[in-house]
Amino acid sequence: MVFSRLIIDGNAVYEIDDACMERRRRRLEELEKRQDRKLQGQEGKPVSR
């Protein structure tokens, strides 16, 4: 079952698909995890000059 929401902004109306928003949330979480892992890996490395 697919749910959606309507967002009314002045004269504009947007339909938000909950399944799409869930996929987006998961994708953003994965990107944050990758970024955190990348930053943690760089902390221990010496800086070359």
Side-chain angles (χ1 to χ4, degrees), residues 9 13 17 22-23 27 31-32 34-35 39-40 48:
D9 183 18
V13 177
D17 179 19
E22 180 64 21
R23 286 190 303 268
R27 189 171 51 243
L31 288 173
E32 287 176 0
R34 287 181 190 175
Q35 192 174 36
L39 289 174
Q40 288 175 356
S48 60

Side-chain angles (χ1 to χ4, degrees), residues 16-28:
I16 306 297
D17 179 19
D18 287 339
C20 179
M21 292 302 292
E22 180 64 21
R23 286 190 303 268
R24 181 178 183 270
R25 184 187 65 78
R26 288 181 187 164
R27 189 171 51 243
L28 289 174

